[in-house]
């Protein structure tokens, strides 16, 4: 499901009419320009109650007390741009369980050419849709916080480049980016958009239609569909290429971890937005903040691994809550 984005002139179509047309799975909101309406696709956002007035007040107080805020974001921010995540098991639009998605393991990708070929085939098919998604109100809110001096550093587990598209600059992509590919042999980095054209030239007669959208530029293809596909290689040394993101079973680079710990040391509080923190790579920073007696707030749909460490936990949708905060 793609993000739908429209600009409508009030007087021709009213906001209430747009909401009626779109139904419950897409969110309408206005910008500072009085004649613009933007629509976010909530297809993959789990159903949840709205945050209470008291929740908003407490988060407002938490943020007012913070002078150097570190924010950690996860897939719960990007689902509001129409991207699926790994952990939500229900699609609100269809009201049925989604299949459990098994991610590619790092060692399998490195050692098994068949796994590598299949991963690149799915990535190639999924790239046009994945790369076209746009930032939503949560991404834009965090950019505004950065520009106003509230947000000291942003740490995202997402590889979708949406924070950067929105304008964030003080940030670390903890798990890398799907918008780059890296050679496993010489470490040469290739922009993913350029690589798409290279792969197309290598596979002029190959095509496949996916039957499911998956996270991280992935789609679902059958083994039969993958037959005949040629995986890309490094133009510098001929070695195997890998999307420049941390796969399951792979370690986050030590220099990246060290940088985030340094930014945490400089910060006075931590806000987690849209992450269950089930992966240790992000949880460790919340745990460290707790040990340093730094206030922690969590905004997420459903429980997280760090709920017991947070002084404030809000169960709600990021876009619904962050747009109600005044900085």
């Amino acid at each position: 499901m793609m993000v739908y984005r429209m600009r409508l002139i009030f007087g021709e179509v009213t906001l209430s009419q747009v909401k009626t047309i779109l139904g419950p799975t897409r969110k309408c909101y206005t910008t500072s320009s009085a004649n613009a309406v933007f629509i976010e696709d909530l297809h993959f956002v789990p159903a949840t109650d709205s945050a209470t007035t008291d929740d908003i007040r407490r988060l407002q107080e938490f943020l007012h007390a913070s002078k150097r805020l570190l924010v950690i974001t996860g897939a719960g921010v990007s689902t509001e741009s129409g991207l699926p995540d790994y952990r939500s098991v229900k699609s609100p639009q269809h009201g049925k369980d989604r299949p459990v998605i098994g991610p590619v393991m790092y060692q399998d990708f490195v050692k098994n050419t068949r796994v590598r070929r299949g991963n690149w085939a799915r990535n190639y098919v999924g790239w046009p849709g994945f790369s076209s998604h746009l930032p939503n109100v949560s991404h834009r809110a965090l950019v505004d916080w950065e520009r106003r001096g509230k947000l000291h550093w942003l740490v995202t587990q997402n590889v979708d480049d949406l924070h950067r598209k929105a304008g964030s600059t003080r940030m670390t992509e903890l798990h890398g980016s799907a918008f780059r590919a890296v050679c496993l042999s010489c470490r040469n980095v290739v922009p993913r958009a350029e690589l798409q054209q290279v792969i197309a030239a290598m596979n002029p007669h190959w095509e496949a239609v996916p039957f499911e959208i998956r996270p991280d530029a992935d789609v679902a293809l059958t083994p039969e569909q993958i037959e005949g596909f040629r995986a890309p290689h490094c133009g510098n040394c001929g070695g195997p290429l890998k999307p420049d993101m941390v796969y399951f079973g792979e370690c986050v680079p030590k220099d990246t971890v060290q940088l985030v710990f340094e930014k945490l040391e400089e910060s006075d509080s931590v806000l987690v937005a849209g992450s269950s923190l089930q992966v240790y790579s992000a949880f460790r920073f919340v745990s460290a903040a707790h040990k340093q007696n730094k206030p922690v707030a969590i905004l997420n749909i459903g429980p997280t691994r760090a709920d017991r460490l947070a002084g404030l936990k809000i169960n709600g949708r990021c876009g619904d809550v962050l747009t109600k905060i005044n900085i």
Side-chain angles (χ1 to χ4, degrees), residues 235-247:
N236 186 45
C237 74
L241 290 174
K242 170 183 170 291
D244 193 15
M245 49 192 181
V246 177
Y247 278 34

Side-chain angles (χ1 to χ4, degrees), residues 153-267:
W153 203 256
L154 171 67
V155 181
T156 184
Q157 300 170 79
N158 302 331
V159 300
D160 50 38
D161 210 41
L162 293 182
H163 284 295
R164 198 175 302 281
K165 286 182 180 180
S168 291
T169 59
R170 300 180 59 82
M171 63 177 290
T172 295
E173 295 168 321
L174 188 63
H175 295 157
S177 173
F179 281 67
R180 303 183 299 267
V182 61
C183 176
L184 294 176
S185 297
C186 72
R187 310 309 297 177
N188 181 47
V189 176
V190 183
R192 180 62 186 82
E194 293 181 11
L195 188 59
Q196 187 74 359
Q197 303 305 314
V198 174
I199 299 174
M202 293 176 61
N203 297 273
H205 305 298
W206 184 90
E207 61 180 6
V209 178
F211 58 88
E212 183 189 23
I213 298 172
R214 294 181 170 185
D216 303 342
D218 201 1
V219 297
L221 299 176
T222 65
E224 292 76 19
Q225 287 177 296
I226 295 170
E227 287 299 322
F229 178 83
R230 297 177 60 199
H233 52 77
C234 177
N236 186 45
C237 74
L241 290 174
K242 170 183 170 291
D244 193 15
M245 49 192 181
V246 177
Y247 278 34
F248 280 77
E250 183 179 7
C251 295
V252 176
K254 291 182 179 180
D255 58 345
T256 300
V257 174
Q258 181 60 35
L259 174 62
V260 176
F261 272 123
E262 291 173 1
K263 296 304 179 182
L264 174 62
E265 187 67 29
E266 296 168 358
S267 303

Side-chain angles (χ1 to χ4, degrees), residues 126-144:
W127 175 255
F130 177 83
S131 61
S132 69
H133 286 270
L134 299 172
N136 60 57
V137 287
S138 296
H139 299 102
R140 295 187 183 91
L142 295 175
V143 171
D144 183 59

Side-chain angles (χ1 to χ4, degrees), residues 303-320:
T304 80
R305 186 178 181 180
D307 284 355
R308 61 183 177 81
L309 307 180
L312 172 61
K313 167 64 190 304
I314 298 176
N315 189 74
R317 187 169 59 78
C318 293
D320 182 49

